Amino acid sequence: MSIPPTTTQPLIFDVLIVGSGLAGLSAALLLGAANKRVAVITKRSTSEGSTAWAQGGIAAVWNKNDSFEAHVDDTLIAGAGLCDLAATRFVVENAPKAIAWLQTMGVPFSQADGELHLAREGGHSARRIVHVTDATGAAVQRTLIDRVLNMPHITLFENHTLVDLITSDKLGLAGRRCLGLYALDDATSQVLTFQASQTILATGGAGKVYLYTTNPDTATGDGIAAAWRAGCRVQNMEFIQFHPTCLFHPHAKSFLISEAVRGEGGCLLLPDGTRFMLRHDPRLELAPRDVVARAIDFEMKKGGFDCVYLDISHQPLTFLQSHFPNIYARCLELGIDISKQPIPVVPAAHYTCGGVLADLRGRTDVTGLYAIGETACSGLHGANRLASNSLVECMVFAQATTQDILQTVTQPMTALPDWDESQVSDADEAVVISHNWDELRRFMWDYVGIVRTNKRLERAAHRIALLQGEIQEFYAHFHVTRDLLELRNLVQVADLIVRSAQSRHESRGLHFSRDYPDLAPVALPTLLMPPVNQAR
Ligand SMILES: Cc1cc2nc3c(=O)[nH]c(=O)nc-3n(C[C@H](O)[C@H](O)[C@H](O)COP(=O)(O)OP(=O)(O)OC[C@H]3O[C@@H](n4cnc5c(N)ncnc54)[C@H](O)[C@@H]3O)c2cc1C
């Protein structure tokens, strides 16, 4: 991008927050309460993002029979030797405070005998999951949006997509500081300039890089890609958590079939009715998530099947209707009566454990730029995420980041250049974007999915390089659209995942390589360094 002189006024705030999930809205509310003028920039409606889809709940030590040590230990075990101990302790010890804050915001947590009801989930040694029935995220998201709408210092910019961060070094100024950002306004197709002393990236994960995902459409890794382009290090991108059973149906985008269905005796079957978990693990369908996901992936690839089947039809109709009301109703809507027939399922990308390297205050390598929530790699999840540890991470780091911002002296403003559109025209062939988008997600699924090999990763790297060239050319010559921006970011994230996977010569946590099936004696994170002064 060539940079012309400033011609129009940027939109000036104290803090810019990109993303309106739990991480972004928590930070906005805390900063707004301290009278900071905050812009929340979000690429669709405020309610869209993974937070609203979270079902299970939020992990926190809340019961006298539980302890911080136990929660830390459970997290470390799940993380397969790669969790950062300081970050893990920090999150676990601040989790109860975060839950208490959500209560003061008005989140209607489920109760039992006048106390918070605590559920238990796989990998947790105690009951510590605070929840709102089976739709925790939706209740949290709704409550925080209501609060934000009543907070005078917060301005919401819906349907505005982050294009890129503006940093001092890109303008030829000293140091590497984030000065603001460019965002595409969908309504006008204009790219606006936003300016502030501090910017928080809270853009969520990158599940959409895979053909099958439980994530919403917003999860295109935009914050990770933008931070990388701005000069931030990115860590542990090879660790993508796959949920074993997502409904496979052309009209059912990203619908999860809960693990509780297997817990109640659901059997996994091949299209010919063979119960295949018998040949993979003595715990059968109740083996851990990653083991079941790998077994399904193996059978699908070996047999060339589009999906496998989860059969719970041996349970009576009344049991299914009372235990799985949502799953029963959603499947029936799509013509699948789960009391009579098996459910077609595929594993699906669920959670991005890696991300922008951030410290205990959410600070990244670029001064004035913070990363929190699923976009960040705080060190909490290591090589595998413990269930219900992600929502709590969003809040704990939102609190730590806002404290840091409130203690930081505001920087004088620098004149920022407008977005330069003088050299571009309207795209001639939008099909290039949709084609490349489909191609990327399919080869990432086939070559960089649950089971990896050196050959598959090489194939993926080769295709990514071709796509990057094509997309960069498109980006340089045509007006930006949200689809183009998302594709550009997805390809960047795909590149980071493949490079991280190629550099790990072992199988650990969520990364499984047939060429390196053993665990290395020492657990080390994968840290990718951005090239200096990369071209836009
Ligand atoms: C189906 C499902 C169930 C889950 N269940 C649980 C659970 O029970 N417990 C748990 O702890 N975790 C759970 N998770 C994980 C958890 O929901 C997420 O990790 C968490 O909500 C992430 O919050 P976030 O604020 O970081 O991102 P999100 O909630 O995803 O929000 C990201 C925001 O950024 C915006 N955005 C993205 N890119 C841009 C851009 N370029 N410009 C502007 N805005 C942008 C999006 O529109 C969105 O508003 C679940 C996830 C899924 C998908």
Side-chain angles (χ1 to χ4, degrees):
M1 184 189 68
S2 62
I3 298 168
T6 302
T7 52
T8 55
Q9 289 297 315
L11 295 150
I12 299 180
F13 292 87
D14 294 325
V15 183
L16 307 175
I17 299 176
V18 191
S20 59
L22 179 55
L25 293 187
S26 302
L29 286 165
L30 293 162
L31 289 164
N35 294 330
K36 288 281 182 189
R37 290 168 307 139
V38 178
V40 176
I41 297 152
T42 190
K43 68 179 171 182
R44 294 180 184 230
S45 78
T46 313
S47 56
E48 282 179 73
S50 290
T51 298
W53 291 21
Q55 298 171 347
I58 311 176
V61 172
W62 197 264
N63 176 326
K64 60 180 180 337
N65 300 324
D66 194 5
S67 68
F68 289 151
E69 289 69 36
H71 190 180
V72 168
D73 283 350
D74 294 343
T75 304
L76 298 181
I77 290 167
L82 263 191
C83 299
D84 179 283
L85 184 58
T88 306
R89 279 194 198 292
F90 184 67
V91 172
V92 165
E93 289 172 12
N94 283 290
K97 197 173 84 188
I99 299 290
W101 180 76
L102 280 183
Q103 284 183 301
T104 65
M105 291 291 108
V107 175
F109 287 119
S110 298
Q111 311 264 327
D113 304 326
E115 295 286 330
L116 289 188
H117 178 260
L118 302 175
R120 187 159 179 178
E121 280 185 351
H124 287 275
S125 57
R127 283 187 169 271
R128 64 168 78 101
I129 314 300
V130 179
H131 61 106
V132 183
T133 62
D134 64 349
T136 307
V140 167
Q141 184 80 32
R142 230 178 5 250
T143 307
L144 296 195
I145 290 175
D146 285 349
R147 289 278 172 171
V148 163
L149 293 176
N150 288 305
M151 183 74 88
H153 297 291
I154 303 176
T155 310
L156 275 176
F157 291 88
E158 290 189 315
N159 302 309
H160 283 66
T161 305
L162 166 70
V163 178
D164 254 326
L165 297 161
I166 306 171
T167 53
S168 51
D169 56 325
K170 296 270 162 68
L171 300 185
L173 304 171
R176 184 172 282 173
R177 159 171 280 281
C178 184
L179 305 172
L181 58 86
Y182 295 114
L184 172 70
D185 177 358
D186 268 0
T188 61
S189 298
Q190 265 192 317
V191 176
L192 308 177
T193 309
F194 287 78
Q195 185 162 18
S197 286
Q198 280 102 5
T199 297
I200 303 176
L201 291 172
T203 49
K208 292 291 285 187
V209 78
Y210 287 99
L211 184 61
Y212 301 115
T213 177
T214 65
N215 289 190
D217 287 346
T218 52
T220 51
D222 297 2
I224 300 171
W228 173 258
R229 289 192 292 267
C232 294
R233 283 172 297 169
V234 161
Q235 185 167 273
N236 289 350
M237 287 300 292
E238 69 273 42
F239 299 114
I240 304 288
Q241 189 173 60
F242 289 86
H243 194 287
T245 52
C246 186
L247 180 61
F248 178 72
H249 190 282
H251 304 303
K253 222 156 93 178
S254 316
F255 186 72
L256 261 192
I257 305 294
S258 153
E259 279 168 305
V261 173
R262 280 180 286 126
E264 295 299 343
C267 295
L268 283 163
L269 308 176
L270 295 179
D272 69 1
T274 309
R275 191 174 174 193
F276 60 88
M277 279 310 293
L278 292 164
R279 38 191 198 229
H280 292 277
D281 195 284
R283 291 162 291 185
L284 306 175
E285 283 81 3
L286 296 181
R289 247 186 208 188
D290 49 329
V291 175
V292 178
R294 265 203 299 279
I296 297 176
D297 182 72
F298 175 85
E299 297 293 348
M300 280 174 61
K301 287 208 168 83
K302 183 169 159 235
F305 309 128
D306 288 335
C307 66
V308 295
Y309 294 86
L310 181 58
D311 191 5
I312 186 78
S313 62
H314 60 280
Q315 291 283 10
L317 176 64
T318 48
F319 176 92
L320 295 174
Q321 284 171 329
S322 63
H323 279 70
F324 306 114
N326 287 330
I327 294 172
Y328 178 77
R330 181 70 183 127
C331 287
L332 202 58
E333 245 174 59
L334 296 166
I336 304 162
D337 181 346
I338 68 170
S339 70
K340 297 200 176 104
Q341 61 195 115
I343 310 165
V345 291
V346 284
H350 189 52
Y351 187 81
T352 312
C353 292
V356 184
L357 185 67
D359 69 10
L360 293 187
R361 289 188 254 171
R363 295 178 304 188
T364 68
D365 291 332
V366 173
T367 312
L369 180 67
Y370 298 80
I372 56 174
E374 198 169 333
T375 299
C377 183
S378 68
L380 171 71
H381 305 298
N384 196 354
R385 175 190 73 124
L386 180 64
S388 289
N389 258 359
S390 35
L391 291 173
V392 68
E393 183 194 33
C394 291
M395 280 183 294
V396 169
F397 283 101
Q399 286 175 341
T401 290
T402 55
Q403 272 169 25
D404 192 71
I405 289 175
L406 295 175
Q407 287 161 5
T408 305
V409 179
T410 308
Q411 292 293 310
M413 296 280 173
T414 312
L416 298 184
D418 281 349
W419 181 251
D420 181 11
E421 295 210 293
S422 58
Q423 309 291 317
V424 296
S425 57
D426 282 334
D428 52 355
E429 290 200 303
V431 69
V432 173
I433 297 178
S434 55
H435 175 89
N436 286 351
W437 183 289
D438 291 344
E439 186 184 336
L440 173 74
R441 296 181 68 203
R442 181 161 279 287
F443 75 66
M444 283 300 286
W445 181 258
D446 287 339
Y447 298 152
V448 197
I450 298 165
V451 176
R452 296 156 183 179
T453 66
N454 288 343
K455 255 227 163 71
R456 286 180 187 173
L457 292 176
E458 265 168 43
R459 282 193 190 116
H462 179 64
R463 280 165 175 77
I464 286 169
L466 293 174
L467 286 185
Q468 273 183 320
E470 220 166 86
I471 292 162
Q472 191 52 40
E473 204 186 312
F474 216 79
Y475 182 75
H477 291 101
F478 300 117
H479 288 295
V480 291
T481 61
R482 191 177 63 200
D483 284 348
L484 173 60
L485 295 172
E486 289 181 339
L487 176 62
R488 175 177 177 244
N489 292 328
L490 279 174
V491 174
Q492 181 61 72
V493 167
D495 175 55
L496 297 172
I497 295 172
V498 170
R499 278 206 260 162
S500 302
Q502 283 180 318
S503 67
R504 184 164 292 283
H505 294 176
E506 62 166 343
S507 290
R508 179 181 297 276
L510 298 165
H511 173 75
F512 184 85
S513 163
R514 272 217 218 121
D515 295 305
Y516 308 105
D518 301 323
L519 204 59
V522 183
L524 292 172
T526 310
L527 196 54
L528 298 181
M529 314 290 284
V532 186
N533 289 330
Q534 22 183 350
R536 292 266 173 113

